[in-house]
Amino acid sequence: MSDAMGHTAVFGATGGGKTSFPPMLQFEFHAYGGDESGVIAAQPTITTERMASHSAARAKAGRIAKQIGGPVDLALAGAAPWDDRYITTASPSEHHASGYRLERLT
């Protein structure tokens, strides 16, 4: 049995009616703030956050990019090399309804 959020209720000897939640992933956001003249910060502000999915993290990166007026690199948090963890870059955009665009920079 699942609820509207997709959580599965577990019943029986081991479940006792507990609800299981999907595993959370740790994401890393590298935000490069921009100013009105288009100058982007040389050093990012780095934050991490636990989120339920890649799509939720992409949306969050997009919202941050729109808010700060500069790009936000998104990666899985961890000790692996950046190239192995990197997911996408969100950039502010006046041409997209969401106010940002996502692209994978290589």
Side-chain angles (χ1 to χ4, degrees):
M1 174 190 295
S2 295
D3 65 9
M5 298 292 290
H7 305 133
T8 303
V10 180
F11 296 97
T14 58
K18 296 179 184 174
T19 302
S20 65
F21 293 93
M24 298 291 276
L25 299 168
Q26 185 82 12
F27 293 94
E28 191 172 294
F29 300 86
H30 291 222
Y32 297 84
D35 64 17
E36 304 82 39
S37 62
V39 176
I40 302 298
Q43 295 296 317
T45 299
I46 301 172
T47 58
T48 59
E49 187 170 334
R50 295 180 75 74
M51 304 192 89
S53 68
H54 283 75
S55 60
R58 284 184 182 97
K60 170 96 178 192
R63 288 190 304 273
I64 294 170
K66 182 178 173 182
Q67 179 182 14
I68 66 171
V72 177
D73 293 331
L74 173 64
L76 289 169
W82 176 258
D83 290 343
D84 294 340
R85 299 183 296 119
Y86 174 74
I87 298 169
T88 193
T89 298
S91 300
S93 173
E94 296 175 4
H95 305 289
H96 294 82
S98 62
Y100 63 89
R101 71 171 185 264
L102 298 171
E103 57 187 329
R104 183 166 172 85
L105 304 176
T106 55

